[in-house]
Amino acid sequence: MQVLDLEQFAKPPTHVAIIMDGNGRWAKARGLPRLAGHQRGAEAVRVVVESCCELGISYLTLYAFSSENWKRPPSEVDDLMALLRHYLRREISELHGNNVRVCFIGDRSPLADDIKSLIDGAETKTGANTGLTLTIAINYGSHNEILGACKNIAQAVSEGALRLDSLTEDVFERFLDTANMPPPDLLIRTSGEQRLSNFLLWQLAYSELIFMDTLWPDFSKRNLEEAVSEYYGRDRRYGASNG
Ligand code: IPE
Ligand code: IPE
Ligand code: MG
């Protein structure tokens, strides 16, 4: 097997975003309930966080639950929420010990009160950390995020707090959930699906997209290294010609 020499490259991508897909198919292939796939998926999160720290990636954003995932059977939604609760209770201390800053994007309002408290607690506890910024998207959907930004901007304009002619792209971005975060350099989606499923539509405008067949519970450090290696081979032109 070819060994990847990522150290020959000067700079890793600053921000990697991942659509963690394929838990259900992983479980189905083994004759297991979908919950088993989600549980193994949570283990893969540990692996990818550690790997990002080792590779010197500064921002990792993970799509954990979309605003459309409420359409799943209530029992699966309950399982996913229970798993989130378990993850937050179990992992935050260790993440904090590893200097990881944990943030959340998405609409928290419909989440259970104890999950909201765990989220707030995690953000407060780790807010001053200077290592990896781990952002977890829960009840996140780009349409809702962009619409919310538009409403807040309209409000600010009507109150005289913002002038319409000073509304630039930079100012608009400050109204998104991802304010103060650079856009992803690299988006990875596992499980072979090639769509964005309402994830970071504004922010991914110039990201490099990598779709891999690996199902999320099988995702390893090696998969991350392969994606980063492919990313290094891409020519990011941002619309310019490269002479
Ligand atoms: C991703 O795996 C996890 C969530 C969306 C919460 P899926 O549950 O979507 O797995 P597949 O796509 O059915 O295999
Ligand atoms: C996207 O996966 C959401 C997450 C990974 C959290 P889905 O499995 O929900 O996406 P679709 O339904 O295949 O587009
Ligand atoms: Mg899926």
Side-chain angles (χ1 to χ4, degrees):
M1 196 188 287
Q2 190 204 342
V3 176
L4 298 169
D5 182 11
L6 294 177
E7 284 171 14
Q8 65 179 298
F9 298 104
K11 198 177 166 298
T14 301
H15 184 173
V16 174
I18 306 184
I19 302 176
M20 308 181 291
D21 199 10
N23 295 351
R25 277 162 284 170
W26 184 93
K28 190 171 181 202
R30 288 160 180 77
L32 297 170
R34 292 178 66 83
L35 173 60
H38 295 313
Q39 284 167 334
R40 285 296 287 263
E43 295 303 320
V45 170
R46 280 178 76 92
V47 171
V48 78
V49 169
E50 277 171 27
S51 305
C52 281
C53 292
E54 285 165 21
L55 292 178
I57 289 161
S58 302
Y59 295 84
L60 171 66
T61 301
L62 299 176
Y63 206 7
F65 190 90
S66 79
S67 52
E68 287 71 37
N69 286 146
W70 300 105
K71 294 177 190 168
R72 296 187 178 202
S75 59
E76 183 174 356
V77 171
D78 287 350
D79 282 347
L80 287 166
M81 290 299 154
L83 203 55
L84 174 62
R85 195 178 270 120
H86 181 69
Y87 179 83
L88 293 172
R89 286 200 188 119
R90 196 186 60 178
E91 302 288 332
I92 295 304
S93 293
E94 191 177 333
L95 290 167
H96 182 51
N98 289 328
N99 198 23
V100 175
R101 183 163 67 107
V102 185
C103 309
F104 296 83
I105 57 173
D107 176 10
R108 300 172 195 189
S109 57
L111 302 179
D113 285 343
D114 69 314
I115 293 184
K116 280 189 227 172
S117 303
L118 285 165
I119 285 176
D120 290 344
E123 285 186 333
T124 307
K125 184 170 181 155
T126 66
N129 289 346
T130 54
L132 176 73
T133 295
L134 169 64
T135 301
I136 305 177
I138 297 169
N139 190 27
Y140 174 87
S142 282
H143 285 182
N144 187 44
E145 176 193 35
I146 292 170
L147 193 60
C150 292
K151 286 180 182 169
N152 288 335
I153 287 166
Q155 174 111 28
V157 170
S158 73
E159 288 170 353
L162 178 70
R163 284 190 20 218
L164 204 47
D165 57 9
S166 61
L167 181 59
T168 59
E169 292 188 12
D170 285 347
V171 172
F172 185 84
E173 284 175 356
R174 280 185 233 145
F175 286 84
L176 296 174
D177 291 4
T178 51
N180 304 319
M181 208 189 286
D185 300 292
L186 168 60
L187 171 87
I188 300 168
R189 182 170 187 151
T190 57
S191 88
E193 308 295 353
Q194 301 193 4
R195 55 178 169 261
L196 297 179
S197 300
N198 206 9
F199 190 46
L200 301 177
L201 300 184
W202 170 284
Q203 298 86 342
L204 291 172
Y206 265 106
S207 308
E208 295 300 326
L209 311 182
I210 292 184
F211 300 102
M212 54 174 64
D213 289 335
T214 306
L215 301 173
W216 176 251
D218 290 327
F219 193 86
S220 64
K221 184 177 183 195
R222 172 104 196 155
N223 291 122
L224 181 67
E225 288 176 340
E226 279 167 1
V228 170
S229 176
E230 187 175 335
Y231 165 83
Y232 283 132
R234 301 273 180 99
D235 182 14
R236 301 186 77 187
R237 290 190 289 277
Y238 297 97
S241 50
N242 60 357

